[in-house]
Amino acid sequence: MSNDDNHLLDKNELIQTLTQSVRELDCLQNINRLIECSDQEEEIFFYAIFQGIADYIPQALRWPQLACCKLRYKTNIFFSDEFVHSAVSISSKINVKNNEVGVIEVFYKEKEDSGPITFIQRERDFLSSVAELLIKVLEKKEAEDQL
């Protein structure tokens, strides 16, 4: 491989990394907007945030067209559009005060015409960040309710 080929690979990798970063930031901004605007009664508050998270997460991943999300909070389950359960998945638990109250699961739909699809560490870290943000929201809401 020539230096020009290596340079093009580096440039393409950089573009992919920047694109991924923009999608992740967009997702986090959308989630933050939901949190800020959801100062309503508790049932609507949780529905808006949880359904929004389930809808936004797939858009932030490497292959948004193949991604889907399932979020469970207590007895409620929220699905992204076109949800399909798949063997290719990652998850992050939602623990509040050392009690598991839910989980966020993300799946890549399998396609016959593509090679094996896996999640990269960056996607795992992103999902953990979203779960941590949600945990902080839940802890804050619980503290406010106790006042």
Side-chain angles (χ1 to χ4, degrees):
M1 200 178 281
S2 71
N3 275 347
D4 287 340
D5 290 337
N6 284 335
H7 178 71
L8 286 176
L9 281 175
D10 292 342
K11 185 177 178 180
N12 287 337
E13 287 177 25
L14 179 61
I15 290 170
Q16 286 177 335
T17 300
L18 290 173
T19 301
Q20 180 77 27
S21 296
V22 168
R23 286 197 301 249
E24 290 170 355
L25 287 171
D26 284 346
C27 177
L28 292 171
Q29 284 180 322
N30 287 330
I31 292 170
N32 277 324
R33 281 189 203 109
L34 283 174
I35 292 166
E36 291 171 2
C37 294
S38 293
D39 192 23
Q40 305 164 6
E41 64 182 74
E42 188 170 338
E43 189 174 317
I44 296 171
F45 172 83
F46 286 124
Y47 178 83
I49 291 174
F50 293 138
Q51 187 59 57
I53 289 172
D55 290 336
Y56 289 132
I57 286 176
Q59 299 169 25
L61 302 177
R62 284 183 304 157
W63 294 297
Q65 70 280 10
L66 298 177
C68 56
C69 181
K70 174 182 172 183
L71 190 155
R72 180 183 55 78
Y73 175 68
K74 296 183 180 178
T75 60
N76 300 300
I77 300 176
F78 303 87
F79 297 97
S80 62
D81 288 339
E82 300 180 28
F83 177 81
V84 176
H85 193 275
S86 165
V88 182
S89 67
I90 57 175
S91 65
S92 191
K93 293 180 180 178
I94 304 167
N95 294 320
V96 176
K97 295 185 179 176
N98 296 320
N99 293 317
E100 184 178 327
V101 296
V103 64
I104 305 172
E105 297 175 275
V106 181
F107 301 85
Y108 272 136
K109 302 170 197 170
E110 298 174 34
K111 291 188 81 169
E112 293 177 16
D113 60 341
S114 64
I117 298 173
T118 60
F119 288 93
I120 59 173
Q121 187 61 45
R122 179 182 181 128
E123 291 170 307
R124 294 174 195 282
D125 293 343
F126 176 73
L127 186 59
S128 293
S129 296
V130 172
E132 288 174 27
L133 175 62
L134 184 53
I135 289 166
K136 288 178 183 173
V137 168
L138 293 170
E139 288 174 342
K140 180 181 177 199
K141 183 75 171 153
E142 189 176 293
E144 288 172 354
D145 290 347
Q146 290 177 354
L147 292 178

